[in-house]
Amino acid sequence: MKREIKNSFSMQKEIKVIILIFVLGSCLGIFSKYLDFYQASLPTLLHLFDQLFDFHNYLGTFGPWLMVALIISIYAPSPRSAAYRVFIFFFGMVLSYYLYCYYICGFYSLSYIMIWVCFTILSPLLGYICWFSLGKDILSFLISSLIMSVFFNLTFSYGCFYLDVKSWLNVLLFFIVLLMLHKGLKEDLLMILLGIGIGILSKSVLPIYFW
């Protein structure tokens, strides 16, 4: 069964949601750069947390941002709403991050900017597609498997004779994503196996990847 589109939300409510998503993205972008730039002089508790989880480097990876974007996408009332909500989130995050770099830190990496700008441009399409993952048809199952493949590659380093965890925080994200996409015990197992297969294939075939 395909996922049904909800048309009961008002324009006024949607504007409020968009503003909140933009503020969320902006705050997270600033916090990410603040944590990275002031890592040696952070407040005591935040410094301990950063040392324990290497959080400033973790926020420089795709995992946490894709997780937030996925939540925004799949809980939107429609695929169109998911598309522009995800775009607004990344726009706010990237804009605030690099304004902070330029005006507070006094430097920025142009190549790193372009990676996130390109990703932001693509984010509406990805958000639109991910919205359908909560459906009950075969297309939704395939989309969910693709999502699991992305988080599998973000979570694990692997080769012919080894398997290692990149970050235990990403392990947590992997299982949270699985819970969000839950379709049933049998379906979840098949989704994980297919996701792993797609992840391994994509890593060996694609010339560029961001794992």
Side-chain angles (χ1 to χ4, degrees), residues 145-165:
S145 299
L146 285 170
I147 294 171
M148 294 306 302
S149 74
V150 171
F151 280 90
F152 174 76
N153 279 343
L154 288 170
T155 304
F156 300 102
S157 296
Y158 54 87
C160 293
F161 303 106
Y162 73 92
L163 177 67
D164 194 19
V165 173

Side-chain angles (χ1 to χ4, degrees), residues 1 11 19 24 26 28 36 39 45 60 79 81 107 119 135 138 140 153 165 169 210:
M1 182 177 64
M11 181 60 68
I19 293 173
L24 174 65
S26 299
L28 289 177
D36 182 49
Q39 58 183 281
L45 291 178
S81 177
F107 67 90
F119 194 83
I138 185 64
S140 300
N153 279 343
V165 173
L169 291 175
F210 305 102

